[in-house]
Amino acid sequence: MSTSKSGGAIGPFHSVAEAAGCVKTSDWLILTLLFLAVLGGYHIHFMLTAGDWDFWVDWKDRRMWPTVIPILGVTFAAAAQAFLWENFRLPFGATFAVLGLLIGEWINRYVNFWGWTYFPISLVFPSALVVPALWLDVILLLSGSYVITAVVGALGWGLLFYPNNWPAIAAFHQATEQHGQLMSLADLIGLHFVRTSMPEYIRMVERGTLRTFGKDVVPVAAFFSGFVSMLVYFLWWFVGKWYSTTKVISKI
Amino acid sequence: MSVTTETSAGAAAGSDAIVDLKGMWIGIAGLNIFYLFIRIYEQIFGWRAGLDSFAPEFQTYWLTMLWTEIPLELVAGLGLAGYLWKTRDRNVDAVSPREELRRHVVLLQWLTVYSVAIYWGASFFTEQDGTWHMTVIRDTDFTPSHIIEFYLSYPIYSIMGVGSFFYAKTRIPFFAHGYSLAFLIVAIGPFMIIPNVGLNEWGHTFWFMEELFVAPLHWGFVFFGWMALGVFGVVLQILAGVKRLLGKDGVAALIG
């Protein structure tokens, strides 16, 4: 038995050093399993509720993309905050969840979109969510209040989404001349890159109007998104608490 | 705190070590190597033999895999649960505190392997299915991506979930008495994605849907995917158990 600063065994441990090592290892195991479980749950949730507006660059249109993505993305961010803040006072729940989602998505973009089905990688980037997540966490840390985080944080989550993604899509405004006509790269993508198995209404409407990359309806979409994100945040904070249940039932 | 620099393995080397991660590393390595092989198989035989379900090569390279993996998974799942039940601690309340603590750490390792399996199933192979069906129109319920996603990766994480549950139920006093609601959610919730496959394929077959990933038909997967969050409650229960075993003095010694 090794010596410890308390001079002997504590609880079931032979020494404080052994206890500290066990706690440290367990912390890493818990963080890893939480990260991967949240990643898996968040990813399947996100791809089947928001994914179509996030999979391809030509679906990132200026009304649906900044509306749908924050509303459906704030769910797991709120739940993770509820768990990590209420139980451990750890202020990184939203960033924790979003990092998981983005890692899962980037692996898929490279290994499957690009690696298996050969979509050009520049056309399938996942939306950036880290800045809105940091905002949400900072508001919770400063306020210590889920109500203020829902109202101020979730509004900011919706509003910050589009400018946070602007650097990635700005390049598609580059002008180009095609057969004597002035076009943007965005126009070219809408006209020239035809994907198979694409929903008909997207083919007819989204591509037809070439309204993919911005303009003045974005702020309206962002405010609406922030408004609904507040409501979803309230709901999912409690979802996170429900899943943190320690209840034991006697029979099933 | 300087004592934290010493690992538990080093401090308690020997047969009664509380932390021994060998089993977890073997499990994680086995899963990752297996799925790497599967991904390479998809790359080669997805395009070469997976485009037409009426072709003879589809039978050879894809349906053979389907009809092999399903019975194997059934046997593996039942065998694992049966083994854990058969070897259960029949006097679980008499377990020593040190052994109970060791079992809590083993349970964390079970859950870590489960979470790796959840990653592959719910994240990697599920979005991969979206890429495939946006590119190759399905002509059967058993497409190359479905044979891997629905009938391989989902059962594997369910087996790990059930294994984790049975390990806790048969070896840790807290979980042995009654049923942890959070653990039931973790074990049963994501498993319910598999029956939901039936609804999904039935809908795709009869409604000839566009490959819209956000279609309401898919929301059953989403609902059951939420239940991976049950790990929140399970982790709290494990930590409460560890805290109880440490006692007030133990906690004070650790954080003081």
Side-chain angles (χ1 to χ4, degrees), chain B residues 67-84:
Chain B
W67 300 125
T68 304
E69 68 194 10
I70 290 176
L72 273 181
E73 287 151 3
L74 272 174
V75 170
L78 291 173
L80 179 64
Y83 170 79
L84 288 168

Side-chain angles (χ1 to χ4, degrees), chain A residues 1-6 10-27 29-30 32-34 36-53 55-56 59 76 79-80 83 87-88 103-105 107-109 111-113 115-119 195-203 236 239-240 242-252, chain B residues 1 3-8 11-12 16-19 21 24 39 42-43 46-47 97-98 101 105 108-109 111-112 115-116 118-119 122-128 130-137 144-145 154 174 177-182 184-185 193 210-215 218-219 221-223 225-237 239 242 245-246 249-250 253-254 256:
Chain A
M1 186 187 299
S2 60
T3 57
S4 69
K5 75 176 186 181
S6 64
I10 58 163
F13 292 103
H14 294 322
S15 65
V16 172
E18 186 192 32
C22 179
V23 167
K24 190 175 172 185
T25 304
S26 299
D27 281 349
L29 290 178
I30 288 170
T32 303
L33 75 90
L34 284 174
L36 290 172
V38 169
L39 187 168
Y42 200 179
H43 199 166
I44 199 168
H45 158 90
F46 197 76
M47 82 181 81
L48 295 176
T49 56
D52 284 316
W53 283 276
F55 282 167
W56 302 277
W59 273 15
F76 273 61
F83 171 70
N87 296 292
F88 307 100
I103 287 172
E105 289 202 323
I107 290 173
N108 254 287
R109 296 304 198 271
V111 179
N112 295 323
F113 272 104
W116 198 27
T117 51
Y118 306 112
F119 284 95
R195 284 187 282 108
T196 59
S197 197
M198 190 176 175
E200 185 63 20
Y201 82 92
I202 297 291
R203 278 195 292 273
W236 271 77
V239 169
W242 293 333
Y243 280 115
S244 304
T245 178
T246 53
K247 193 175 175 185
V248 175
I249 53 180
S250 57
K251 59 181 179 180
I252 52 175
Chain B
M1 192 165 69
V3 290
T4 59
T5 56
E6 186 176 350
T7 66
S8 59
D16 72 335
I18 287 178
V19 178
L21 302 180
M24 182 192 74
R39 179 62 185 81
E42 286 180 321
Q43 190 79 24
W47 291 106
R98 186 171 175 83
L101 196 64
V105 177
L108 283 178
Q109 296 177 61
L111 289 169
T112 304
S115 69
V116 171
I118 278 277
Y119 160 73
S123 174
F124 189 88
F125 288 116
T126 302
E127 187 173 324
Q128 182 196 66
T131 75
W132 183 254
H133 286 143
M134 283 290 170
T135 311
V136 180
I137 295 174
S145 63
Y154 288 3
F174 174 81
H177 302 299
Y179 296 89
S180 157
L181 181 58
L184 282 175
I185 291 171
I193 288 178
E210 294 267 15
E211 294 294 350
L212 192 64
F213 233 44
V214 299
H218 293 156
W219 292 352
F221 295 119
V222 175
F223 179 76
W226 296 347
M227 298 189 184
L229 292 181
V231 293
F232 287 170
V234 177
V235 162
L236 290 179
Q237 287 172 329
L239 288 174
V242 171
L245 288 167
L246 270 172
D249 291 343
L254 268 178

Side-chain angles (χ1 to χ4, degrees), chain A residues 152-228:
Chain A
V152 180
L155 178 63
W157 166 276
L159 290 177
L160 284 169
F161 174 76
Y162 193 82
N164 172 53
N165 277 279
W166 181 249
I169 59 173
F172 293 103
H173 285 285
Q174 172 68 44
T176 177
E177 184 189 308
Q178 295 290 318
H179 307 297
Q181 281 203 315
L182 180 64
M183 303 178 79
S184 69
L185 291 181
D187 296 331
L188 266 182
I189 292 166
L191 289 168
H192 284 196
F193 182 67
V194 179
R195 284 187 282 108
T196 59
S197 197
M198 190 176 175
E200 185 63 20
Y201 82 92
I202 297 291
R203 278 195 292 273
M204 299 292 289
V205 180
E206 303 287 303
R207 284 171 180 270
T209 59
L210 296 175
R211 59 182 177 78
T212 302
F213 296 98
K215 226 168 172 296
D216 46 334
V217 298
V218 174
V220 180
F223 267 102
F224 174 62
S225 180
F227 168 67
V228 182

